[in-house]
Amino acid sequence: MTDINHVVLVGHLTRDLGEDERSFGYVGNGQARANISIAVNRSKKTGDQWIEEANYFDVTIWGNQAVNLKPYLKKGKQIAVDGYLKQDRWEKDGQKMSKVSIVANSVQLLGGNGSNGGNGGDNYQGNGGAPRFQAINNNQNNSYSDNFNQDSYGDTSSDFREDIPF
């Protein structure tokens, strides 16, 4: 039986993804690697008060995803990370050390970046928000009708034969 190692986190970036070798670079085989850190806030009740508690996690993003996200990973930007836990072990000065980090399978940009007034990053203005794409239909000869009537549920008198073979 296979064990399960799956993590989903939503948090805010603690620093910009820079140009330095530690945060962004290419490994020996040419694959891109981005190392980021996110803060995940958690509320817990102590007595009658709610206390905010921040937890910090290191995340590694690999490949094209790291390259594509690089311009948008700015301090304060909210992201969702879907990935798995990885434990690194090493020995330093005769003492055994270990560190658990997250390897991202996918990263999704969310919300604003913390410095854009909370507009959710809907329009890219060079401030770390993701560009917003909108589908535009320029083809007038579509195979579907643009004047779809939502109230026509169950109306079988139009284009469909009643003896559909399935």
Side-chain angles (χ1 to χ4, degrees):
M1 181 170 139
T2 303
D3 296 328
I4 297 174
N5 180 357
H6 187 222
V7 175
V8 177
L9 295 173
V10 174
H12 292 270
L13 292 168
T14 61
R15 63 181 182 271
D16 290 350
L17 180 62
E19 300 291 331
D20 63 319
E21 181 100 6
R22 291 181 60 147
S23 67
F24 185 86
Y26 293 89
V27 295
N29 64 2
Q31 188 175 27
R33 178 203 62 348
N35 291 325
I36 61 173
S37 179
I38 63 172
V40 178
N41 294 325
R42 180 176 165 259
S43 295
K44 68 178 187 176
K45 192 169 187 177
T46 305
D48 291 338
Q49 287 186 316
W50 285 93
I51 297 173
E52 288 283 323
E53 173 183 275
N55 293 289
Y56 300 92
F57 300 97
D58 292 329
V59 179
T60 303
I61 308 167
W62 290 98
N64 287 336
Q65 187 171 217
V67 174
N68 293 337
L69 288 172
K70 185 179 177 187
Y72 307 111
L73 296 178
K74 304 291 182 190
K75 182 177 180 178
K77 179 71 178 166
Q78 187 180 35
I79 64 170
V81 176
D82 185 323
Y84 60 92
L85 297 175
K86 180 178 184 272
Q87 183 179 28
D88 294 317
R89 296 179 183 154
W90 68 97
E91 195 170 311
K92 182 178 179 181
D93 299 329
Q95 199 155 23
K96 293 183 179 186
M97 312 282 276
S98 72
K99 177 183 178 182
V100 176
S101 61
I102 298 164
V103 177
N105 291 326
S106 68
V107 175
Q108 185 172 357
L109 302 172
L110 304 173
N113 68 354
S115 64
N116 63 359
N119 70 1
D122 287 343
N123 299 314
Y124 176 68
Q125 299 170 352
N127 61 0
R132 185 174 186 182
F133 298 100
Q134 181 178 3
I136 298 174
N137 183 6
N138 291 330
N139 186 0
Q140 299 300 323
N141 297 326
N142 292 324
S143 61
Y144 63 89
S145 173
D146 285 336
N147 55 5
F148 175 70
N149 183 2
Q150 292 182 357
D151 298 327
S152 64
Y153 300 121
D155 182 6
T156 59
S157 63
S158 60
D159 300 334
F160 297 99
R161 299 184 351 217
E162 288 186 321
D163 55 343
I164 298 174
F166 58 89

